[in-house]
Amino acid sequence: KNQVEQSPQSLIILEGKNCTLQCNYTVSPFSNLRWYKQDTGRGPVSLTIMTFSENTKSNGRYTATLDADTKQSSLHITASQLSDSASYICVVSDRGSTLGRLYFGRGTQLTVWP
Amino acid sequence: EADIYQTPRYLVIGTGKKITLECSQTMGHDKMYWYQQDPGMELHLIHYSYGVNSTEKGDLSSESTVSRIRTEHFPLTLESARPSHTSQYLCASSGTGQVNQPQHFGDGTRLSIL
């Protein structure tokens, strides 16, 4: 069964600290993995996308890694800010985002305290 | 920033009423989607469309219906609302041509049926 599991379910950190969110998946065949940020009361916004051949991709203070062999991805947030408080959702596609099915994780709820 | 709009943002209504949730996008995207999202849970695809006059049911069974008469408009209708329909409904769209295009999400409609 194709699944996407995220951990931790929730995380509280102090402003300025770093954190790492995890995503494990069993989706096959694998096409790409995308991390979304969803602010409270808003729709998800894409942060990064990684295909099979990519193992690291950065977007400002966000760095995503992918290990396609172990089917694991992580999202590292550096020097967290209050605005980073949101749910971070891992989404895996099995045949490309435009044609294939998307499998969503339940998200990690990140809270950044001042 | 994606141009996809959902109205209303919030709706509280009694059981048995007919409801239409609006979704419009100005990006000329062929593909549009409706998701249902409950707190702390993953997004579930309930309807999608690959173009005008094309609609398909998603993975999660839903009593709602959709129509796609115009490229930019993808409304969702509940003929007779019930408390079990209480949820957040997210609309998304994606373009064609380039591989791995992201889905752009609206900010959702939070629906409460009394």
Side-chain angles (χ1 to χ4, degrees), chain A residues 63-88:
Chain A
T63 300
T65 66
L66 174 66
D67 185 335
D69 292 331
T70 61
K71 298 187 176 182
Q72 295 179 325
S73 176
S74 65
L75 180 69
H76 185 76
I77 303 174
T78 303
S80 60
Q81 300 176 356
L82 298 179
S83 59
D84 292 332
S85 294
S87 178
Y88 291 83

Side-chain angles (χ1 to χ4, degrees), chain A:
Chain A
K1 180 181 178 182
N2 288 324
Q3 285 186 311
V4 177
E5 301 286 344
Q6 292 188 243
S7 62
Q9 182 177 351
S10 62
L11 181 63
I12 299 174
I13 62 173
L14 294 176
E15 186 178 15
K17 298 297 185 182
N18 304 335
C19 67
T20 300
L21 314 180
Q22 300 289 344
C23 174
N24 296 338
Y25 62 93
T26 60
V27 177
S28 182
F30 172 85
S31 178
N32 62 70
L33 184 148
R34 195 182 294 273
W35 283 92
Y36 280 88
K37 178 187 180 187
Q38 185 175 20
D39 292 315
T40 301
R42 305 295 298 273
V45 175
S46 177
L47 292 175
T48 66
I49 180 173
M50 304 186 73
T51 57
F52 186 87
S53 59
E54 298 172 303
N55 53 29
T56 301
K57 184 168 283 188
S58 292
N59 177 4
R61 293 180 298 102
Y62 301 105
T63 300
T65 66
L66 174 66
D67 185 335
D69 292 331
T70 61
K71 298 187 176 182
Q72 295 179 325
S73 176
S74 65
L75 180 69
H76 185 76
I77 303 174
T78 303
S80 60
Q81 300 176 356
L82 298 179
S83 59
D84 292 332
S85 294
S87 178
Y88 291 83
I89 303 171
C90 177
V91 184
V92 180
S93 175
D94 62 1
R95 269 181 294 276
S97 303
T98 57
L99 296 175
R101 179 184 166 171
L102 300 183
Y103 297 85
F104 289 82
R106 294 185 176 185
T108 291
Q109 183 65 48
L110 175 66
T111 303
V112 181
W113 283 1

Side-chain angles (χ1 to χ4, degrees), chain B:
Chain B
E1 194 72 24
D3 295 320
I4 180 164
Y5 308 99
Q6 292 187 241
T7 58
R9 290 293 314 279
Y10 305 91
L11 181 61
V12 181
I13 201 165
T15 298
K17 301 293 186 181
K18 180 178 180 179
I19 300 166
T20 297
L21 307 184
E22 302 289 348
C23 176
S24 295
Q25 50 96 5
T26 59
M27 298 169 284
H29 287 168
D30 289 327
K31 296 179 174 60
M32 295 189 74
Y33 315 82
W34 276 103
Y35 292 90
Q36 189 171 336
Q37 184 183 30
D38 293 316
M41 302 297 288
E42 64 267 45
L43 277 71
H44 290 286
L45 181 67
I46 52 175
H47 298 283
Y48 63 97
S49 167
Y50 282 169
V52 172
N53 294 326
S54 153
T55 61
E56 301 288 344
K57 289 191 177 295
D59 307 311
L60 182 67
S61 176
S62 174
E63 295 168 344
S64 59
T65 59
V66 292
S67 63
R68 190 86 183 278
I69 299 173
R70 304 197 315 265
T71 298
E72 62 271 22
H73 196 212
F74 192 38
L76 180 146
T77 299
L78 280 163
E79 289 293 333
S80 179
R82 294 207 300 268
S84 61
H85 296 140
T86 294
S87 188
Q88 173 159 268
Y89 293 84
L90 287 164
C91 180
S93 71
S94 64
T96 55
Q98 291 183 1
V99 178
N100 296 329
Q101 288 203 33
Q103 290 190 10
H104 299 275
F105 286 85
D107 285 337
T109 293
R110 189 168 296 278
L111 179 64
S112 295
I113 309 299
L114 304 178

